[in-house]
Amino acid sequence: MLPAMKRVLILYTGGTVGMGKAPGQGYRPIPGFLEKLMRSIPMFQAPEVPAWEIRQYEPLLDSSDVGPREWTRIAEDIGAAHDDYDGFLVVHGTDTMAYTASALGFQLEGLDRPVLVTGSQIPLSETRNDAINNLLAALLLIGRFSHRLQEVCVFFDNLLLRGNRTTKIHTEGFSAFASPDFPPLGRVGIDFELDERLLRPRPDPARPLRVVPIDPGVTVGAFRLFPGLRPRFLEALLAPPVQGLVLECFGAGNAPRDPDLLAALRAATDRGVVVVAVPQPLHGRADLELYANGRALLEAGVVSGRDMTVEAALTKLFYLFSRGLEPAAVRRQVQLDLRGELSED
Ligand code: ASP
């Protein structure tokens, strides 16, 4: 007997990948266009490709317009269809793809099958494009590893990356994504390779998938420190109703030792604002104990986000506050490795 055909649900949210050019206008998403193109390309119908269906979002979005509401919609769609598919492919614009992939990773608690997020730099409608390989290889990866890959990943330019470790590094090159502090989970070349040692532990099969919606009331943000920052500016940034802030620090977690700046931070953390330090450099971790300036941040109540990307730290704050946790619990949990998003050692 032939093995049952794998089934994949494609959630098409928008982005360059499905855009077309209308005469006299630039690229724009055209409803129905992506599915029509995919149905017309024989490779997508090949027997080794899982059976796929497309659910197209209305309206199709530039990913700059994707935020917590859309993350929740995608997560809930996956939750509702979970048992009927072997995996999910989220087709998404590249600009905020790393945020969506990070958020979904937190929101889908106990995920036991692959959710891949992809898009492209050139639309599928162009003769020369990166869309065909990104979509096709993503479908094949889901089919092949549906029992082993149990997390949210970005798949782009032949790299399979842990979603919450990913950041966009190019606006133009095909290799638009990297996971700077974590090796790729897999690569597609002549063969499909998956590095089993890097995968997350299998979720408890007794616990069904649970989707955590993002509470629209949660107010968190991210801010890049810069030389010349006035304490008043930071004070205004941290004013109520702000609940959490990802602070992109200099180097390995440093900030100016300006007493007024530190007082602004201290006042906020005393009020329960969770301030998480991450490094501005692409590689490496925040170590707030290394320099006196970092230690001053610790004394002001800032916690280390270690090697989390900004995208992971920010979406983690959204997620933790959406679970209704008290600030002290958020402060504790944001420092823990929940989905492979940070290195604890
Ligand atoms: N602006 C587009 C988007 O993020 C870019 C892309 O898809 O590559 O939706």
Side-chain angles (χ1 to χ4, degrees):
M1 205 172 73
L2 285 172
M5 196 168 193
K6 298 278 176 66
R7 300 186 68 208
V8 176
L9 180 62
I10 301 176
L11 298 174
Y12 171 35
T13 67
T16 297
V17 58
M19 292 188 186
K21 229 187 224 165
Q25 299 174 22
Y27 284 122
R28 63 189 170 86
I30 303 174
F33 196 44
L34 183 70
E35 174 156 17
K36 200 169 138 211
L37 284 171
M38 286 177 71
R39 295 271 172 225
S40 71
I41 298 172
M43 273 98 90
F44 286 106
Q45 275 57 247
E48 63 271 38
V49 176
W52 50 270
E53 284 156 52
I54 290 194
R55 186 173 302 167
Q56 178 183 284
Y57 281 27
E58 182 55 49
L60 290 166
L61 296 170
D62 185 293
S63 74
S64 303
D65 291 319
V66 174
R69 201 176 44 164
E70 289 72 27
W71 305 336
T72 297
R73 175 168 176 203
I74 299 167
E76 285 179 341
D77 282 352
I78 291 172
H82 183 258
D83 296 344
D84 300 329
Y85 296 90
D86 298 283
F88 297 85
L89 179 60
V90 179
V91 174
H92 197 285
T94 58
D95 291 348
T96 68
M97 186 182 287
Y99 291 89
T100 300
S102 299
L104 293 176
F106 293 117
Q107 290 179 273
L108 296 168
E109 292 182 345
L111 181 68
D112 68 351
R113 55 202 70 192
V115 172
L116 265 51
V117 189
T118 198
S120 70
Q121 296 283 58
I122 303 182
L124 186 61
S125 55
E126 292 293 330
T127 310
R128 195 179 66 83
N129 67 72
D130 56 333
I132 189 158
N133 187 59
N134 287 350
L135 293 167
L136 194 56
L139 287 169
L140 289 165
L141 274 169
I142 295 172
R144 197 175 280 221
F145 299 119
S146 61
H147 294 299
R148 193 58 202 98
L149 197 56
Q150 299 172 309
E151 55 182 288
V152 179
C153 297
V154 165
F155 177 73
F156 215 89
D157 195 33
N158 292 321
L159 289 180
L160 181 69
L161 306 170
R162 174 161 295 150
N164 58 32
R165 291 284 193 159
T166 305
T167 195
K168 185 172 180 180
I169 54 162
H170 280 298
T171 56
E172 287 159 3
F174 286 153
S175 227
F177 290 90
S179 59
D181 286 313
F182 201 75
L185 302 180
R187 288 172 197 275
V188 173
I190 289 178
D191 294 316
F192 285 75
E193 290 164 23
L194 186 67
D195 192 338
E196 302 255 350
R197 294 162 311 172
L198 300 174
L199 302 182
R200 302 283 303 148
R202 290 178 190 277
D204 177 356
R207 295 180 119 194
L209 176 77
R210 185 172 157 247
V211 175
V212 178
I214 300 297
D215 174 349
V218 168
T219 309
V220 296
F223 180 73
R224 190 175 170 95
L225 275 183
F226 57 90
L229 170 64
R230 306 266 312 266
R232 293 288 296 276
F233 194 107
L234 193 65
E235 228 172 75
L237 193 75
L238 290 164
V242 169
Q243 295 164 284
L245 184 75
V246 179
L247 191 63
E248 292 181 62
C249 294
F250 302 136
N254 296 309
R257 250 194 319 165
D258 173 341
D260 293 336
L261 210 66
L262 293 167
L265 284 169
R266 179 81 260 174
T269 57
D270 280 350
R271 281 199 311 272
V273 178
V274 179
V275 183
V276 187
V278 298
Q280 288 184 9
L282 194 56
H283 295 275
R285 66 188 62 183
D287 178 354
L288 303 188
E289 289 180 20
L290 197 59
Y291 292 96
N293 285 48
R295 282 174 185 261
L297 283 179
L298 275 181
E299 280 156 25
V302 175
V303 297
S304 172
R306 304 183 71 85
D307 56 354
M308 273 192 289
T309 59
V310 175
E311 293 89 334
L314 179 73
T315 55
K316 196 172 179 179
L317 286 176
F318 268 115
Y319 159 74
L320 291 172
F321 280 112
S322 296
R323 279 177 37 199
L325 300 176
E326 291 301 320
V330 173
R331 208 180 131 81
R332 205 167 44 247
Q333 292 215 25
V334 79
Q335 300 176 71
L336 303 178
D337 175 21
L338 303 182
R339 306 279 193 279
E341 73 282 7
L342 63 75
S343 313
E344 275 184 338
D345 49 297

